[in-house]
Amino acid sequence: MSEKEIIQENPLGTQPIKSMIWKFAIPGIISSLVNAAHNIVDQIFIGWGIGDLGIAATNITFPLMTMITALSALLGMGGAAKFNLALGGGKSKEAQRTLGNSLFLMVITGLVIGIGAIIFLEPMLKGFGATDLIMPYAKDYALIISMGLPFGIFATGASYFIRADGNPNFSSAVLLSGAVFNMIFDPIFLFVFDMGIRGVALATLLGQVLSSALALYYLKFRLKSVVLTKGDFLPQSDIIKALCALGAAPCFTHVAATAVQIVQSNTLRYYGALSSYGSEVPLAAAGAVSKVMIVLMSCVIGISLGCQPLYGYNYGRKNYGRVKETYKLALRYGTTVAVIAFVCIELFPKQILTIFGLDNPVFYDFAIKYMRIYLFMTFANALQPITSTFFTAIGKANLGFWMALVRQVILLIPLLLILPMVWGIDGVFWAGPLSDGVAVIIVVIFATREMRKLTELEKQQPKRN
């Protein structure tokens, strides 16, 4: 079959948008929900088995997990965006080299980051905001998590390509396998084998190994868009530059989120010590609330990632009407989920937080207030991830980069540092909605401008049969 025939038959360019969105989004939503669930299940078991110091420890070490997300976004999401653009343009050899180079970089980067984290473990955790009481738990947890970094980066990064290859179900299965393994073995290692917080970390590590094995199996035996050769794994500067450019925005979003979390943890530790809450309760509360937010927003992420192949392939084919329709539907679906999340957060904060099994009234006093104020703009939080993925998929990741830069770096980090000087620990609460509100305005401006450009390009295109 010729490349032209493959392009014409590809359902990404021919099937109804709504059905294609859900074909790709539902597996993504399911995998995002299960991965979010495994994050919160970790916290639940740790809350029941260890207490608030254990929850605080996992919050302190969470930047290591966002490191996986950031690097897999750089190499996986960026590579998959270029992969789909190349396939849509009929450039199968370029798509082939993109996949090979991305996989090579995932392996090398994962090894370097993992080894570095192990070598500098204790100073790294101190920089993340660990107190003397939290440090023993954080070290036990972070050491094992660091060993899993190479597997986590490879599995997550490869899942983007499996989805881009037209198999969203297997892409989700890669991530689901590790998450389900984790949820099953968390209580076994924690309670049956009495391994404490190390058992929770070990379940995560082994789950990542399983996910990596499944991803490797698909790439070796079931890949259908291209056929990899040894030469495709040789680094090529033009390919690496292009995929990193496309992956820079989503990667930076996660790097900035990591920086925010580090600043936030240190701010909570410092100003918490000056308040009636102490340092450990705010850190534990922030950890619990962040895991809740991951669960509530996982559907938005699934929708966003499910639309990526549709954006890239149709933009590569210059089918701009399908690109616009996909983006508008993604916003409609994502915003619906975000509004539901907002209602749950504002009306039922205590009921949500009680799943962690803690009985400390000081914890609930702080966490409820923190959740309601810091997450007040949740109803609009679907705009940024969906729009950032959209820009990345159509080759304009620099726009997503600047949106992330404004919210995380220019606004949120300074507000986390400045507002507590005036309002004490309450200043941390208000930094979230203030930065989110400005970010929403910026996203709307850039997205509206891009829709107008696509409309103009669509008018210039000859009508398709």
Side-chain angles (χ1 to χ4, degrees), residues 391-446:
F391 282 130
T392 298
I394 66 172
K396 298 185 178 182
N398 58 313
L399 293 175
F401 174 87
W402 286 108
M403 282 189 286
L405 181 70
V406 169
R407 181 192 179 274
Q408 305 276 37
V409 177
I410 296 178
L411 289 171
L412 186 53
I413 289 179
L415 287 173
L416 284 171
L417 295 172
I418 295 171
L419 293 184
M421 295 180 184
V422 181
W423 295 332
I425 201 166
D426 285 359
V428 178
F429 302 161
W430 291 101
L434 288 174
S435 58
D436 284 340
V438 175
V440 166
I441 296 171
I442 293 172
V443 168
V444 169
I445 291 172
F446 278 102

Side-chain angles (χ1 to χ4, degrees), residues 63-79:
L64 289 177
M65 303 304 291
T66 55
M67 188 85 67
I68 292 175
T69 310
L71 292 173
S72 62
L74 175 68
L75 306 174
M77 187 183 291

Side-chain angles (χ1 to χ4, degrees), residues 441-458:
I441 296 171
I442 293 172
V443 168
V444 169
I445 291 172
F446 278 102
T448 302
R449 185 179 300 174
E450 190 60 34
M451 287 296 102
R452 290 173 181 167
K453 289 181 181 178
L454 288 175
T455 299
E456 291 301 315
L457 289 172
E458 186 181 10

Side-chain angles (χ1 to χ4, degrees), residues 53-130:
L53 289 179
I55 293 177
T58 56
N59 185 47
I60 288 295
T61 58
F62 198 66
L64 289 177
M65 303 304 291
T66 55
M67 188 85 67
I68 292 175
T69 310
L71 292 173
S72 62
L74 175 68
L75 306 174
M77 187 183 291
K82 179 169 175 54
F83 181 84
N84 279 127
L85 287 168
L87 286 179
K91 303 174 183 178
S92 60
K93 185 60 181 177
E94 183 178 317
Q96 191 173 308
R97 294 199 306 268
T98 300
L99 174 56
N101 275 233
S102 295
L103 295 176
F104 172 80
L105 290 175
M106 288 175 205
V107 172
I108 297 301
T109 303
L111 289 171
V112 171
I113 297 297
I115 293 170
I118 292 171
I119 292 173
F120 301 104
L121 188 67
E122 188 164 345
M124 176 185 69
L125 293 174
K126 286 182 179 178
F128 288 171

